[in-house]
Amino acid sequence: MRKKGTTVSCALSLVLTLGGTLTLTGCGGGEGGGSGGKVTLRFAWWGNPDRAARTEEAVKLFEKRHPGIDISTSFAGFDTYKAKLATQAAGGDAPDVMQLDYRQIDQYSNSGILLDLDRYPELRTAEIDKGLLATGVVNGKQYAIPAARNTETVAYDSALWRATGIPEPTPDWTWDDWADAMLKLSRSKAAGGQAGSTDPGQSEDIFEVWLRGKGKALYTHGGTRLGFDADDLTRYWQWCTKLRKEGAVAPAEVTTRMDGSVETTALGLRKGVTSFNWDSAASGYQAIIGEGKVRLAALPVDVTGKRGQFFKPSMFFGASAKTAHPRESARFIDFLLNDPQAGAILGASRGIPANESSRKRALPKLEGFDKVVYDYQKQFEGKLDAPPEAPPKGDASLQTTFQRDYDQVSYERMSPREAAEDYITEAKAELRQ
Protein backbone atom coordinates (compact mmCIF):
# COMPACT_ATOMS: atom_id res chain seq x y z
CA MET A 1 0.00 0.00 0.00
CA ARG A 2 1.27 3.48 -0.83
CA LYS A 3 0.09 6.19 1.54
CA LYS A 4 0.95 9.87 1.26
CA GLY A 5 1.14 12.35 4.09
CA THR A 6 3.67 10.50 6.20
CA THR A 7 7.12 11.59 7.32
CA VAL A 8 8.56 8.12 6.85
CA SER A 9 10.43 7.66 3.57
CA CYS A 10 10.01 4.23 2.01
CA ALA A 11 10.54 2.49 -1.32
CA LEU A 12 8.42 0.03 -3.21
CA SER A 13 9.38 -3.58 -2.74
CA LEU A 14 8.25 -6.94 -4.07
CA VAL A 15 7.13 -9.47 -1.52
CA LEU A 16 6.45 -13.12 -2.21
CA THR A 17 3.12 -13.92 -0.62
CA LEU A 18 2.19 -17.26 0.90
CA GLY A 19 0.28 -18.04 -2.31
CA GLY A 20 3.44 -17.57 -4.36
CA THR A 21 2.30 -14.29 -5.89
CA LEU A 22 4.45 -11.22 -6.22
CA THR A 23 2.80 -8.29 -4.49
CA LEU A 24 3.94 -4.69 -4.45
CA THR A 25 4.22 -3.12 -1.04
CA GLY A 26 5.35 0.29 0.08
CA CYS A 27 4.62 2.80 2.83
CA GLY A 28 2.22 1.71 5.50
CA GLY A 29 -0.79 3.60 6.71
CA GLY A 30 -4.52 3.35 6.73
CA GLU A 31 -6.91 3.70 3.86
CA GLY A 32 -8.97 6.52 5.30
CA GLY A 33 -9.31 10.16 4.33
CA GLY A 34 -6.60 12.53 3.23
CA SER A 35 -4.04 14.42 5.27
CA GLY A 36 -4.25 18.13 5.98
CA GLY A 37 -7.77 18.35 4.54
CA LYS A 38 -6.80 16.68 1.29
CA VAL A 39 -8.95 14.18 -0.55
CA THR A 40 -7.52 10.66 -0.62
CA LEU A 41 -8.47 8.23 -3.37
CA ARG A 42 -7.72 4.52 -3.07
CA PHE A 43 -6.52 3.11 -6.39
CA ALA A 44 -6.01 -0.63 -6.91
CA TRP A 45 -4.72 -2.58 -9.91
CA TRP A 46 -3.00 -5.81 -10.95
CA GLY A 47 0.05 -6.31 -13.12
CA ASN A 48 3.80 -6.81 -13.14
CA PRO A 49 6.67 -4.80 -11.58
CA ASP A 50 7.18 -2.71 -14.73
CA ARG A 51 3.52 -1.66 -14.73
CA ALA A 52 3.77 -0.87 -11.03
CA ALA A 53 6.80 1.39 -11.44
CA ARG A 54 5.21 3.27 -14.34
CA THR A 55 1.90 3.63 -12.54
CA GLU A 56 3.57 5.06 -9.44
CA GLU A 57 5.39 7.60 -11.59
CA ALA A 58 2.13 8.65 -13.24
CA VAL A 59 0.42 8.90 -9.84
CA LYS A 60 3.15 11.27 -8.61
CA LEU A 61 2.58 13.48 -11.64
CA PHE A 62 -1.17 13.57 -10.99
CA GLU A 63 -0.61 14.54 -7.35
CA LYS A 64 1.76 17.30 -8.43
CA ARG A 65 -0.89 18.64 -10.81
CA HIS A 66 -3.65 18.26 -8.18
CA PRO A 67 -2.13 19.13 -4.79
CA GLY A 68 -5.51 18.74 -3.11
CA ILE A 69 -5.71 15.02 -3.98
CA ASP A 70 -3.64 12.14 -2.61
CA ILE A 71 -3.64 8.72 -4.29
CA SER A 72 -3.21 5.67 -2.06
CA THR A 73 -2.22 2.73 -4.26
CA SER A 74 -2.46 -1.04 -3.95
CA PHE A 75 -1.03 -3.59 -6.38
CA ALA A 76 -0.89 -7.39 -6.66
CA GLY A 77 -0.75 -10.26 -9.14
CA PHE A 78 -4.04 -10.95 -10.95
CA ASP A 79 -5.33 -13.92 -8.93
CA THR A 80 -4.58 -12.24 -5.59
CA TYR A 81 -6.01 -8.94 -6.81
CA LYS A 82 -9.21 -10.53 -8.12
CA ALA A 83 -9.84 -12.37 -4.84
CA LYS A 84 -9.15 -9.28 -2.71
CA LEU A 85 -11.33 -7.03 -4.85
CA ALA A 86 -14.20 -9.53 -4.66
CA THR A 87 -13.93 -9.52 -0.86
CA GLN A 88 -13.80 -5.73 -0.68
CA ALA A 89 -16.72 -5.35 -3.08
CA ALA A 90 -18.86 -7.82 -1.15
CA GLY A 91 -18.13 -5.90 2.04
CA GLY A 92 -19.02 -2.52 0.52
CA ASP A 93 -15.40 -1.37 0.66
CA ALA A 94 -14.28 -1.32 -2.97
CA PRO A 95 -11.43 1.10 -3.85
CA ASP A 96 -12.41 4.52 -5.18
CA VAL A 97 -10.74 3.71 -8.50
CA MET A 98 -10.02 0.17 -9.63
CA GLN A 99 -8.69 -1.77 -12.58
CA LEU A 100 -11.27 -4.24 -13.90
CA ASP A 101 -11.27 -7.32 -16.07
CA TYR A 102 -13.72 -7.79 -18.96
CA ARG A 103 -15.57 -10.54 -17.08
CA GLN A 104 -16.10 -8.41 -13.95
CA ILE A 105 -18.03 -5.56 -15.60
CA ASP A 106 -21.49 -7.11 -15.80
CA GLN A 107 -21.35 -8.70 -12.36
CA TYR A 108 -20.06 -5.61 -10.55
CA SER A 109 -22.32 -3.13 -12.34
CA ASN A 110 -25.47 -5.18 -11.76
CA SER A 111 -24.48 -5.62 -8.11
CA GLY A 112 -24.38 -1.86 -7.59
CA ILE A 113 -20.62 -1.78 -7.03
CA LEU A 114 -19.63 0.46 -9.95
CA LEU A 115 -20.25 4.17 -10.46
CA ASP A 116 -22.13 5.39 -13.55
CA LEU A 117 -19.33 7.38 -15.20
CA ASP A 118 -21.61 9.04 -17.77
CA ARG A 119 -22.59 11.54 -15.10
CA TYR A 120 -19.11 13.07 -14.88
CA PRO A 121 -17.92 15.35 -17.72
CA GLU A 122 -14.50 15.38 -16.08
CA LEU A 123 -13.96 12.01 -17.77
CA ARG A 124 -13.54 12.43 -21.53
CA THR A 125 -14.07 9.49 -23.90
CA ALA A 126 -14.12 11.12 -27.34
CA GLU A 127 -10.76 9.64 -28.40
CA ILE A 128 -11.53 6.08 -27.34
CA ASP A 129 -12.73 3.70 -30.03
CA LYS A 130 -16.53 3.56 -29.85
CA GLY A 131 -16.67 -0.21 -30.20
CA LEU A 132 -14.24 -0.68 -27.32
CA LEU A 133 -16.02 1.95 -25.24
CA ALA A 134 -19.32 0.12 -25.64
CA THR A 135 -17.90 -2.96 -23.92
CA GLY A 136 -17.98 -1.03 -20.65
CA VAL A 137 -21.70 -0.21 -21.02
CA VAL A 138 -24.30 -2.21 -19.10
CA ASN A 139 -28.01 -1.39 -19.27
CA GLY A 140 -27.23 1.80 -21.15
CA LYS A 141 -24.77 3.18 -18.58
CA GLN A 142 -20.99 3.55 -18.87
CA TYR A 143 -19.64 1.74 -15.82
CA ALA A 144 -16.08 1.14 -17.04
CA ILE A 145 -13.65 2.68 -19.53
CA PRO A 146 -11.20 0.51 -21.49
CA ALA A 147 -7.57 1.37 -20.79
CA ALA A 148 -6.02 -0.67 -23.59
CA ARG A 149 -6.81 -3.32 -26.16
CA ASN A 150 -5.59 -6.72 -27.25
CA THR A 151 -6.68 -9.47 -29.61
CA GLU A 152 -6.22 -13.20 -30.01
CA THR A 153 -3.25 -14.58 -31.91
CA VAL A 154 -1.55 -17.77 -33.01
CA ALA A 155 1.84 -17.45 -31.31
CA TYR A 156 4.54 -19.69 -32.75
CA ASP A 157 8.20 -20.61 -32.60
CA SER A 158 9.34 -19.03 -35.86
CA ALA A 159 12.74 -20.76 -35.93
CA LEU A 160 11.17 -24.19 -35.49
CA TRP A 161 8.38 -23.51 -38.00
CA ARG A 162 10.88 -22.38 -40.63
CA ALA A 163 13.02 -25.45 -40.02
CA THR A 164 10.09 -27.63 -41.10
CA GLY A 165 9.98 -25.97 -44.52
CA ILE A 166 6.21 -25.51 -44.26
CA PRO A 167 4.97 -22.08 -45.47
CA GLU A 168 4.30 -19.70 -42.58
CA PRO A 169 0.81 -18.31 -41.91
CA THR A 170 -0.75 -15.68 -44.13
CA PRO A 171 -3.12 -12.98 -42.80
CA ASP A 172 -6.14 -14.56 -44.52
CA TRP A 173 -5.56 -18.26 -43.90
CA THR A 174 -8.74 -20.23 -43.20
CA TRP A 175 -9.46 -22.70 -40.43
CA ASP A 176 -8.96 -25.46 -43.01
CA ASP A 177 -5.56 -23.98 -43.89
CA TRP A 178 -4.69 -23.84 -40.20
CA ALA A 179 -5.73 -27.47 -39.62
CA ASP A 180 -3.70 -28.61 -42.63
CA ALA A 181 -0.63 -26.70 -41.42
CA MET A 182 -0.92 -28.10 -37.90
CA LEU A 183 -1.07 -31.65 -39.23
CA LYS A 184 1.98 -31.08 -41.44
CA LEU A 185 3.92 -29.53 -38.55
CA SER A 186 3.14 -32.47 -36.30
CA ARG A 187 4.43 -34.91 -38.93
CA SER A 188 7.58 -32.96 -39.71
CA LYS A 189 10.88 -34.46 -38.53
CA ALA A 190 12.11 -30.97 -37.61
CA ALA A 191 9.28 -30.63 -35.06
CA GLY A 192 10.68 -33.60 -33.16
CA GLY A 193 7.34 -35.15 -32.33
CA GLN A 194 5.68 -31.94 -31.15
CA ALA A 195 2.05 -31.34 -32.02
CA GLY A 196 1.19 -28.49 -34.32
CA SER A 197 -0.84 -26.59 -31.74
CA THR A 198 -2.58 -26.36 -28.43
CA ASP A 199 -5.99 -28.05 -28.72
CA PRO A 200 -8.55 -25.24 -29.29
CA GLY A 201 -11.37 -27.44 -28.00
CA GLN A 202 -10.89 -26.35 -24.39
CA SER A 203 -11.00 -22.60 -25.14
CA GLU A 204 -14.27 -20.69 -24.98
CA ASP A 205 -12.35 -17.70 -26.41
CA ILE A 206 -11.33 -19.56 -29.58
CA PHE A 207 -14.80 -21.06 -29.92
CA GLU A 208 -16.21 -17.52 -29.83
CA VAL A 209 -13.94 -16.43 -32.70
CA TRP A 210 -14.90 -19.56 -34.66
CA LEU A 211 -18.60 -18.78 -34.05
CA ARG A 212 -18.28 -15.13 -35.06
CA GLY A 213 -16.70 -16.22 -38.33
CA LYS A 214 -19.95 -18.06 -39.01
CA GLY A 215 -22.06 -15.01 -38.22
CA LYS A 216 -23.05 -16.22 -34.75
CA ALA A 217 -22.17 -15.09 -31.23
CA LEU A 218 -21.41 -16.55 -27.82
CA TYR A 219 -24.22 -14.51 -26.24
CA THR A 220 -27.13 -12.47 -27.56
CA HIS A 221 -29.92 -10.27 -26.13
CA GLY A 222 -27.57 -8.40 -23.83
CA GLY A 223 -25.97 -11.57 -22.51
CA THR A 224 -29.22 -13.17 -21.45
CA ARG A 225 -29.22 -15.90 -24.12
CA LEU A 226 -26.76 -18.20 -25.83
CA GLY A 227 -26.02 -17.27 -29.42
CA PHE A 228 -25.44 -20.87 -30.50
CA ASP A 229 -26.95 -24.31 -29.97
CA ALA A 230 -25.83 -27.87 -29.28
CA ASP A 231 -25.36 -28.54 -33.00
CA ASP A 232 -22.82 -25.71 -33.29
CA LEU A 233 -20.82 -26.86 -30.29
CA THR A 234 -21.01 -30.51 -31.39
CA ARG A 235 -19.52 -29.62 -34.80
CA TYR A 236 -16.74 -27.63 -33.14
CA TRP A 237 -15.81 -30.41 -30.73
CA GLN A 238 -16.07 -33.08 -33.44
CA TRP A 239 -13.60 -31.08 -35.52
CA CYS A 240 -11.21 -30.69 -32.55
CA THR A 241 -11.53 -34.43 -31.79
CA LYS A 242 -10.53 -35.30 -35.35
CA LEU A 243 -7.49 -33.03 -35.09
CA ARG A 244 -6.50 -34.52 -31.74
CA LYS A 245 -6.77 -38.10 -32.98
CA GLU A 246 -4.65 -37.22 -36.01
CA GLY A 247 -1.98 -35.72 -33.72
CA ALA A 248 -2.33 -32.25 -35.24
CA VAL A 249 -3.07 -30.75 -31.80
CA ALA A 250 -1.81 -31.62 -28.33
CA PRO A 251 -3.14 -34.73 -26.55
CA ALA A 252 -5.50 -34.68 -23.58
CA GLU A 253 -2.73 -35.01 -20.98
CA VAL A 254 -1.24 -31.72 -22.22
CA THR A 255 -4.53 -29.89 -22.68
CA THR A 256 -5.84 -30.70 -19.19
CA ARG A 257 -2.70 -29.23 -17.60
CA MET A 258 -3.44 -25.75 -18.91
CA ASP A 259 -4.14 -23.17 -16.19
CA GLY A 260 -4.14 -19.87 -18.08
CA SER A 261 -0.39 -19.30 -17.98
CA VAL A 262 1.83 -19.42 -21.06
CA GLU A 263 4.03 -21.99 -19.34
CA THR A 264 1.27 -24.64 -19.39
CA THR A 265 0.27 -24.27 -23.05
CA ALA A 266 1.60 -26.71 -25.64
CA LEU A 267 4.04 -24.09 -26.91
CA GLY A 268 5.14 -23.19 -23.38
CA LEU A 269 5.73 -26.86 -22.52
CA ARG A 270 7.58 -27.37 -25.83
CA LYS A 271 4.90 -29.89 -26.74
CA GLY A 272 3.61 -27.82 -29.66
CA VAL A 273 4.95 -25.49 -32.34
CA THR A 274 2.10 -22.99 -31.80
CA SER A 275 -0.48 -21.94 -29.23
CA PHE A 276 -3.47 -19.62 -29.14
CA ASN A 277 -3.24 -16.70 -26.74
CA TRP A 278 -3.96 -12.99 -26.30
CA ASP A 279 -1.27 -10.99 -28.09
CA SER A 280 -0.01 -9.06 -25.05
CA ALA A 281 0.26 -12.25 -22.97
CA ALA A 282 2.31 -13.92 -25.70
CA SER A 283 5.35 -11.97 -24.51
CA GLY A 284 5.72 -14.70 -21.88
CA TYR A 285 6.83 -17.17 -24.55
CA GLN A 286 10.06 -15.23 -25.09
CA ALA A 287 11.57 -16.49 -21.85
CA ILE A 288 10.90 -20.05 -23.02
CA ILE A 289 11.68 -19.87 -26.72
CA GLY A 290 14.12 -16.96 -26.85
CA GLU A 291 14.09 -13.27 -27.68
CA GLY A 292 13.04 -12.52 -31.23
CA LYS A 293 11.79 -16.05 -31.97
CA VAL A 294 8.12 -15.59 -31.08
CA ARG A 295 5.95 -14.50 -34.00
CA LEU A 296 2.26 -13.66 -34.04
CA ALA A 297 -0.16 -14.80 -36.72
CA ALA A 298 -3.78 -13.78 -37.23
CA LEU A 299 -6.50 -16.18 -36.20
CA PRO A 300 -7.89 -18.04 -39.20
CA VAL A 301 -10.97 -16.80 -41.02
CA ASP A 302 -14.06 -18.79 -41.95
CA VAL A 303 -14.18 -20.49 -45.36
CA THR A 304 -16.46 -17.62 -46.43
CA GLY A 305 -13.68 -15.15 -45.64
CA LYS A 306 -15.48 -13.69 -42.62
CA ARG A 307 -13.12 -12.85 -39.76
CA GLY A 308 -14.34 -13.60 -36.26
CA GLN A 309 -11.40 -11.96 -34.51
CA PHE A 310 -11.98 -8.74 -32.57
CA PHE A 311 -10.19 -6.16 -30.44
CA LYS A 312 -10.96 -6.74 -26.77
CA PRO A 313 -10.21 -4.37 -23.90
CA SER A 314 -7.26 -5.84 -22.01
CA MET A 315 -8.55 -4.10 -18.88
CA PHE A 316 -10.77 -1.24 -17.74
CA PHE A 317 -10.81 1.52 -15.17
CA GLY A 318 -13.89 1.96 -13.02
CA ALA A 319 -14.92 3.72 -9.82
CA SER A 320 -16.81 2.64 -6.75
CA ALA A 321 -20.48 3.59 -6.53
CA LYS A 322 -19.82 4.29 -2.84
CA THR A 323 -16.85 6.61 -3.30
CA ALA A 324 -17.11 9.81 -1.33
CA HIS A 325 -15.25 11.58 -4.14
CA PRO A 326 -16.82 10.68 -7.50
CA ARG A 327 -15.64 13.77 -9.37
CA GLU A 328 -12.07 13.39 -8.20
CA SER A 329 -12.20 9.70 -9.14
CA ALA A 330 -13.46 10.58 -12.63
CA ARG A 331 -10.74 13.22 -12.96
CA PHE A 332 -8.06 10.70 -12.02
CA ILE A 333 -9.33 8.11 -14.54
CA ASP A 334 -9.39 10.85 -17.19
CA PHE A 335 -5.76 11.64 -16.39
CA LEU A 336 -4.67 8.00 -16.77
CA LEU A 337 -6.46 7.65 -20.09
CA ASN A 338 -6.08 11.03 -21.76
CA ASP A 339 -3.18 13.05 -20.36
CA PRO A 340 -0.23 13.13 -22.83
CA GLN A 341 2.43 13.04 -20.13
CA ALA A 342 0.67 10.22 -18.30
CA GLY A 343 0.42 8.34 -21.59
CA ALA A 344 4.16 8.78 -22.20
CA ILE A 345 4.92 7.38 -18.75
CA LEU A 346 2.51 4.44 -18.92
CA GLY A 347 3.35 3.53 -22.53
CA ALA A 348 2.08 0.05 -23.41
CA SER A 349 2.35 -1.28 -19.85
CA ARG A 350 -1.37 -2.12 -19.92
CA GLY A 351 -1.45 -3.04 -23.58
CA ILE A 352 -1.78 -0.88 -26.69
CA PRO A 353 -3.65 2.25 -25.44
CA ALA A 354 -7.36 2.48 -26.27
CA ASN A 355 -7.03 6.26 -26.61
CA GLU A 356 -6.13 7.00 -30.24
CA SER A 357 -3.86 9.97 -29.46
CA SER A 358 -2.06 8.08 -26.68
CA ARG A 359 -1.59 5.16 -29.05
CA LYS A 360 0.02 7.40 -31.69
CA ARG A 361 2.25 9.09 -29.12
CA ALA A 362 3.37 5.78 -27.65
CA LEU A 363 4.31 4.23 -31.00
CA PRO A 364 7.75 5.85 -31.50
CA LYS A 365 8.83 4.74 -28.03
CA LEU A 366 7.66 1.13 -28.24
CA GLU A 367 10.43 -1.44 -27.95
CA GLY A 368 10.82 -5.19 -27.85
CA PHE A 369 7.63 -7.23 -27.72
CA ASP A 370 5.46 -4.11 -27.27
CA LYS A 371 6.50 -3.18 -30.82
CA VAL A 372 5.75 -6.75 -32.01
CA VAL A 373 2.23 -6.49 -30.57
CA TYR A 374 1.65 -3.04 -32.08
CA ASP A 375 2.77 -4.19 -35.53
CA TYR A 376 0.54 -7.25 -35.22
CA GLN A 377 -2.51 -5.16 -34.32
CA LYS A 378 -1.84 -2.57 -37.00
CA GLN A 379 -2.84 -4.99 -39.77
CA PHE A 380 -6.37 -5.16 -38.37
CA GLU A 381 -7.09 -1.43 -38.13
CA GLY A 382 -10.57 -0.83 -39.53
CA LYS A 383 -10.99 -4.50 -40.50
CA LEU A 384 -12.48 -6.11 -37.40
CA ASP A 385 -16.12 -6.17 -36.35
CA ALA A 386 -17.05 -4.48 -33.10
CA PRO A 387 -16.31 -6.55 -30.00
CA PRO A 388 -19.14 -8.28 -28.15
CA GLU A 389 -20.66 -6.77 -25.05
CA ALA A 390 -19.06 -7.65 -21.72
CA PRO A 391 -19.92 -11.28 -20.91
CA PRO A 392 -22.75 -11.94 -18.41
CA LYS A 393 -21.79 -12.60 -14.81
CA GLY A 394 -22.36 -16.33 -15.26
CA ASP A 395 -19.68 -16.57 -17.94
CA ALA A 396 -16.82 -17.15 -15.49
CA SER A 397 -18.60 -20.26 -14.27
CA LEU A 398 -19.46 -21.32 -17.82
CA GLN A 399 -15.81 -21.07 -18.86
CA THR A 400 -15.03 -23.71 -16.26
CA THR A 401 -17.95 -25.82 -17.48
CA PHE A 402 -16.75 -25.49 -21.08
CA GLN A 403 -13.27 -26.75 -20.15
CA ARG A 404 -14.63 -29.51 -17.94
CA ASP A 405 -16.95 -30.85 -20.62
CA TYR A 406 -14.21 -30.81 -23.23
CA ASP A 407 -11.89 -32.65 -20.84
CA GLN A 408 -14.49 -35.42 -20.89
CA VAL A 409 -14.42 -35.38 -24.69
CA SER A 410 -10.62 -35.36 -24.90
CA TYR A 411 -10.38 -38.40 -22.62
CA GLU A 412 -13.22 -40.04 -24.60
CA ARG A 413 -15.50 -40.30 -21.59
CA MET A 414 -18.22 -38.39 -23.45
CA SER A 415 -18.94 -37.93 -27.11
CA PRO A 416 -18.87 -34.39 -28.56
CA ARG A 417 -22.68 -34.52 -28.80
CA GLU A 418 -23.16 -35.64 -25.19
CA ALA A 419 -20.74 -32.99 -23.88
CA ALA A 420 -22.32 -30.26 -26.01
CA GLU A 421 -25.81 -31.07 -24.76
CA ASP A 422 -24.55 -31.14 -21.18
CA TYR A 423 -22.96 -27.72 -21.64
CA ILE A 424 -26.08 -26.20 -23.20
CA THR A 425 -28.22 -27.50 -20.32
CA GLU A 426 -25.92 -26.01 -17.69
CA ALA A 427 -25.49 -22.76 -19.60
CA LYS A 428 -29.23 -22.19 -19.88
CA ALA A 429 -29.61 -22.86 -16.17
CA GLU A 430 -26.80 -20.41 -15.38
CA LEU A 431 -28.36 -17.75 -17.59
CA ARG A 432 -31.85 -18.66 -16.35
CA GLN A 433 -33.17 -19.07 -19.89
Side-chain angles (χ1 to χ4, degrees):
M1 179 64 64
R2 176 180 179 275
K3 173 69 177 175
K4 298 285 289 184
T6 176
T7 58
V8 179
S9 174
C10 59
L12 296 171
S13 61
L14 286 170
V15 177
L16 187 64
T17 68
L18 292 176
T21 302
L22 284 174
T23 302
L24 189 72
T25 63
C27 300
E31 298 179 343
S35 58
K38 291 184 178 181
V39 166
T40 294
L41 299 179
R42 295 160 55 210
F43 172 40
W45 79 96
W46 77 84
N48 56 32
D50 174 64
R51 183 183 298 168
R54 294 182 188 220
T55 301
E56 288 294 333
E57 185 178 350
V59 164
K60 289 178 182 177
L61 176 61
F62 178 83
E63 291 175 325
K64 183 178 180 180
R65 297 257 196 91
H66 303 274
I69 304 175
D70 279 343
I71 307 294
S72 177
T73 62
S74 176
F75 158 82
F78 180 68
D79 288 343
T80 299
Y81 174 85
K82 184 170 64 172
K84 182 179 179 180
L85 183 61
T87 300
Q88 290 174 320
D93 190 36
D96 297 278
V97 176
M98 66 198 93
Q99 197 168 283
L100 295 160
D101 180 64
Y102 198 47
R103 301 184 186 281
Q104 294 172 310
I105 306 301
D106 187 274
Q107 178 181 356
Y108 282 11
S109 60
N110 282 317
S111 299
I113 293 165
L114 297 179
L115 183 70
D116 176 8
L117 297 171
D118 277 332
R119 297 161 52 197
Y120 301 95
E122 292 87 350
L123 177 47
R124 298 161 295 166
T125 60
E127 292 200 72
I128 296 176
D129 177 87
K130 299 304 180 187
L132 286 178
L133 190 63
T135 62
V137 174
V138 178
N139 298 325
K141 297 180 179 180
Q142 190 82 50
Y143 286 107
I145 310 294
R149 71 181 192 189
N150 59 12
T151 187
E152 285 273 8
T153 187
V154 177
Y156 65 96
D157 182 336
S158 60
L160 181 56
W161 188 309
R162 288 169 185 164
T164 68
I166 298 165
E168 291 185 66
T170 62
D172 295 316
W173 62 338
T174 67
W175 284 108
D176 287 342
D177 295 333
W178 171 85
D180 183 60
M182 295 308 104
L183 183 59
K184 288 178 179 177
L185 287 170
S186 69
R187 294 177 176 177
S188 169
K189 290 183 179 179
Q194 295 188 48
S197 171
T198 294
D199 187 341
Q202 55 76 46
S203 174
E204 185 192 64
D205 290 329
I206 302 303
F207 177 58
E208 181 171 27
V209 172
W210 185 86
L211 272 178
R212 284 167 59 94
K214 297 183 179 302
K216 297 192 175 186
L218 202 59
Y219 300 106
T220 60
H221 297 82
T224 61
R225 293 184 178 276
L226 292 176
F228 63 97
D229 58 25
D231 288 342
D232 296 312
L233 186 52
T234 297
R235 280 191 290 272
Y236 180 70
W237 279 343
Q238 284 175 337
W239 175 64
C240 293
T241 296
K242 178 175 180 292
L243 292 169
R244 188 183 66 256
K245 289 183 175 181
E246 292 174 339
V249 301
E253 54 267 26
V254 172
T255 305
T256 53
R257 289 177 61 182
M258 294 177 64
D259 63 5
S261 67
V262 296
E263 291 81 6
T264 58
T265 62
L267 180 59
L269 291 168
R270 306 319 306 266
K271 299 289 187 181
V273 182
T274 78
S275 278
F276 296 101
N277 216 316
W278 295 101
D279 55 14
S280 55
S283 63
Y285 291 119
Q286 291 194 116
I288 301 168
I289 296 170
E291 294 285 336
K293 293 183 179 180
V294 181
R295 295 199 65 180
L296 305 180
L299 259 67
V301 301
D302 189 70
V303 66
T304 62
K306 182 171 176 56
R307 191 179 296 280
Q309 194 167 346
F310 58 93
F311 283 128
K312 165 188 167 295
S314 56
M315 59 199 68
F316 297 77
F317 290 126
S320 170
K322 293 187 177 182
T323 179
H325 310 290
R327 294 196 179 280
E328 290 84 353
S329 296
R331 188 174 295 124
F332 178 54
I333 294 174
D334 176 82
F335 169 81
L336 294 172
L337 294 173
N338 299 316
D339 186 86
Q341 284 185 264
I345 292 169
L346 296 172
S349 61
R350 284 178 167 81
I352 303 301
N355 178 298
E356 184 177 352
S357 295
S358 294
R359 190 160 61 244
K360 290 179 179 178
R361 285 191 295 265
L363 176 59
K365 298 181 180 180
L366 294 180
E367 299 177 347
F369 207 79
D370 284 347
K371 181 67 163 55
V372 172
V373 172
Y374 178 84
D375 289 341
Y376 171 66
Q377 290 193 9
K378 187 177 180 180
Q379 69 182 303
F380 303 121
E381 294 291 354
K383 298 179 180 179
L384 302 183
D385 289 344
E389 295 179 15
K393 63 180 180 180
D395 181 64
S397 174
L398 291 180
Q399 274 194 315
T400 301
T401 302
F402 193 94
Q403 293 169 356
R404 183 205 67 201
D405 283 344
Y406 187 68
D407 284 349
Q408 298 300 305
V409 174
S410 62
Y411 279 117
E412 300 185 9
R413 294 169 184 157
M414 296 175 73
S415 70
R417 167 63 66 179
E418 290 170 333
E421 290 179 349
D422 182 79
Y423 177 83
I424 294 295
T425 298
E426 292 203 27
K428 288 183 175 180
E430 183 71 39
L431 298 174
R432 294 180 175 82
Q433 287 188 205

